[in-house]
Amino acid sequence: MTAVPAARIVFDADDRAAVAAAVAESLATGALTLGPQTERFETAFAAAHRAQHAIAVATGTAALEIALRVVGVANHDVVLPSNTFYATAAAVVHAGGRPVFADVAADTFALSVQTIEAVLTPSTKAVVLVHVGGLITPEVDAIRALCDRRGVALVEDAAHAHGCSLDGRMAGTFGLAGAFSFYPTKVTTSAEGGMILTADTQVRDEARIYRDQGKGAFTANHHVRDGASWRLSELNAAAGAVHVQHLAEFVKHRRTVAARYTRALAGLDALTTLAEPPGAVSNYYKYIVLLPEGADRARFKAEVADRFAVRLSGEVYDLPLHQQPVLMKYANGALPVAEDVCARHVCLPVHSDMRDEEVDQVLTAVTTVSREMFG
């Protein structure tokens, strides 16, 4: 039996040749940072999301931190969901802000107007809306309206949301800025890297300053912001510029895989899939399934892996931030929905080139183990 991996990075032979040619060009010219490859990557990614401006940076974490620095969150509260990756809170802390963890809606894994309002303070400077698994909450416009009324910046953590949309609007374009990651497992990758999307020229200009050690100009030793070495190398940009050309086809294929999962799992009462809201187009970076309350997730994953050679993707996330040892000093009570969904969901593997027989293998594994464990 061939194993189905949790993730697979897809660069075909033509992609590898194109990346190699672009890297060779950069090495030959000596333009290795903030050069033409970066510009190509920025232009292509902005076009794919119908965004006005794109600023490439070293990581997705840097993208979010820069956006928060531009907002000016130092010594202010920043609201974020507790069921997100450590980097979301780390970006807040490194930008000088105080993370305020909020609960989420069970049907979207995202912040809601209600959960945000519950934790807003006079010191709140920003709300970070995370598009978990590539799903944009239908409350996004209401959340933006709430932020506007309260004079709070809305920043999107779109690390999972390449090519996602809601009612025709793309991820990264709902708030003041959107931050994307190009970590290897993302739908499109540059091996390492990040991107800021914005329609605001001031955010664009400030982000460019922050990413280059806070310098007022690329060639000047004149520092005007508390920036850092957040540049994206030309070699990474070359890979990203090639890979992003496949974004639409990758999303289409992943949605086909997800549709098969949804149809097949509809008959299993014990499992609850995270439904795509009307008007939403997810890239299914994660295909999220809730196990029954009290389920032994570790056993479920082990059975699927050991008996059927299917490795499930990493959770989003298995331990909420307010329970992470390094962040517990910011915790302020229980967040029951976040705690519940973190404890009992799994993510089925979705690859941008997933074969039909691999989908069959996953479904056989999940349905068999589910029926045996949960009836």
Side-chain angles (χ1 to χ4, degrees):
M1 182 184 298
T2 302
V4 179
R8 187 161 59 228
I9 301 163
V10 181
F11 279 86
D12 66 18
D14 289 341
D15 292 337
R16 296 194 294 273
V19 172
V23 168
E25 176 187 340
S26 295
L27 295 175
T29 62
L32 296 176
T33 188
L34 296 183
Q37 305 295 347
T38 297
E39 292 178 6
R40 289 169 192 159
F41 189 21
E42 290 172 335
T43 298
F45 198 77
H49 292 82
R50 298 191 292 277
Q52 290 181 255
H53 310 294
I55 307 92
V57 295
T59 66
T61 312
L64 189 55
E65 181 178 342
I66 290 169
L68 293 169
R69 284 182 176 271
V70 174
V71 169
V73 302
N75 301 313
H76 287 84
D77 293 339
V78 179
V79 175
L80 65 155
S82 190
N83 62 319
T84 185
F85 185 51
Y86 164 78
T88 310
V92 174
V93 173
H94 295 159
R98 293 183 295 269
V100 176
F101 301 123
D103 214 343
V104 294
D107 60 343
T108 63
F109 277 42
L111 295 173
S112 69
V113 169
Q114 181 180 6
T115 63
I116 294 169
E117 286 183 319
V119 297
L120 283 176
T121 72
S123 184
T124 303
K125 191 75 172 183
V127 170
V128 179
L129 178 63
V130 183
H131 305 312
V132 176
L135 189 153
I136 302 173
T137 174
E139 288 195 53
V140 62
D141 286 331
I143 290 170
R144 174 62 188 268
L146 170 63
C147 290
D148 289 347
R149 287 196 305 272
R150 297 292 293 266
V152 171
L154 178 63
V155 176
E156 295 169 69
D157 182 337
H160 293 180
H162 309 62
C164 300
S165 65
L166 178 70
D167 296 330
R169 294 172 60 193
M170 304 299 294
T173 66
F174 291 91
L176 179 66
F180 292 78
S181 166
F182 299 107
Y183 185 76
T185 59
K186 297 300 191 287
V187 175
T188 58
T189 183
S190 57
E192 290 282 5
M195 191 77 74
I196 302 165
L197 295 184
T198 186
D200 189 299
T201 56
Q202 181 180 359
V203 173
R204 176 201 64 191
D205 295 344
E206 289 284 308
R208 288 174 177 169
I209 292 170
Y210 273 109
R211 75 175 172 184
D212 189 26
Q213 302 280 18
K215 293 192 298 184
F218 181 47
T219 57
N221 185 30
H222 179 239
H223 300 263
V224 297
R225 296 289 183 271
D226 292 325
S229 180
W230 285 319
R231 298 176 300 271
L232 182 67
S233 83
E234 286 287 274
L235 310 187
N236 291 104
V242 168
H243 216 225
V244 75
Q245 302 300 328
H246 296 293
L247 180 56
E249 68 184 81
F250 284 174
V251 171
K252 181 179 179 180
H253 186 81
R254 297 172 77 91
R255 289 180 58 77
T256 299
V257 171
R260 284 199 59 197
Y261 283 161
T262 300
R263 287 194 298 270
L265 298 178
L268 289 177
D269 293 337
L271 302 183
T272 304
T273 60
L274 197 67
E276 188 178 59
V281 176
S282 175
N283 62 10
Y284 285 99
Y285 175 64
K286 298 287 186 177
Y287 188 94
I288 299 170
V289 178
L290 283 163
L291 304 178
E293 292 185 14
D296 185 342
R297 177 168 59 193
R299 180 190 162 199
F300 183 88
K301 293 174 67 175
E303 293 277 339
V304 165
D306 295 345
R307 294 168 54 193
F308 298 94
V310 171
R311 305 292 174 180
L312 299 186
S313 301
E315 287 82 34
V316 283
Y317 287 85
D318 61 336
L319 186 66
L321 294 186
H322 68 286
Q323 295 178 346
Q324 294 282 355
V326 74
L327 296 169
M328 287 180 67
K329 59 189 173 184
Y330 300 108
N332 187 27
L335 299 171
V337 177
E339 292 165 16
D340 176 56
V341 298
C342 283
R344 64 184 182 94
H345 78 276
V346 293
C347 298
L348 308 191
V350 180
H351 310 150
S352 297
D353 65 345
M354 200 163 191
R355 300 183 297 275
D356 287 344
E357 58 268 28
E358 290 179 312
V359 177
D360 293 337
Q361 188 172 337
V362 172
L363 287 170
T364 297
V366 169
T367 55
T368 302
V369 174
S370 174
R371 286 180 176 131
E372 291 175 357
M373 287 184 64
F374 313 128

